[in-house]
Amino acid sequence: MTKRNTILLPKIQRLIATLGENIKLARLRRKLSAEQVSERAGISRPTLTSIEKGSSTVSLGAYVSVLHILGLQEDILLLAQDDILGRKLQDASILTQDRAPKRKK
């Protein structure tokens, strides 16, 4: 199985970097060391460093584990909470397909 590289737009990369910075600031405010947080989250220290740098190669589960250790796990529920575009499409009764069409090889 080959590993695919995901290409992210610069705006998305900046968002992930900001998330990493916010996680690091939250850890420092709580006066927790990187070793303490990584041990409690069940991840390695280099993985925590990658999270705090905003690496897109780290799994979402690792991000959520760190948020849980910092007591911020509920913040993940705020993502996509207000789907303004989706609601507008729903209100306009625009029909969408359940699945995307299959690609032709």
Side-chain angles (χ1 to χ4, degrees):
M1 182 182 206
T2 61
K3 188 173 183 179
R4 287 193 248 170
N5 289 333
T6 303
I7 299 171
L8 297 176
L9 297 172
K11 183 177 181 179
I12 303 301
Q13 290 173 340
R14 285 191 299 272
L15 286 172
I16 295 172
T18 302
L19 173 63
E21 290 174 20
N22 291 345
I23 288 172
K24 183 175 184 176
L25 289 172
R27 175 180 64 79
L28 294 174
R29 283 188 206 107
R30 288 159 177 74
K31 298 183 180 178
L32 294 171
S33 70
E35 189 169 331
Q36 288 173 319
V37 172
S38 62
E39 185 177 308
R40 291 176 187 177
I43 59 174
S44 67
R45 246 182 109 193
T47 301
L48 179 61
T49 302
S50 295
I51 288 171
E52 291 181 349
K53 288 181 178 178
S55 174
S56 63
T57 60
V58 179
S59 74
L60 181 60
Y63 274 91
V64 174
S65 292
V66 172
L67 289 171
H68 174 71
I69 297 306
L70 298 174
L72 300 171
Q73 68 274 8
E74 298 300 320
D75 288 357
I76 200 78
L77 297 175
L78 299 176
L79 298 174
Q81 181 180 15
D82 293 326
D83 183 13
I84 296 169
L85 175 61
R87 291 188 188 243
K88 285 182 180 179
L89 291 172
Q90 184 180 26
D91 291 344
S93 298
I94 296 175
L95 298 176
T96 58
Q97 294 179 350
D98 292 337
R99 292 181 49 175
K102 293 184 179 182
R103 290 188 198 173
K104 294 182 181 180
K105 292 184 180 183

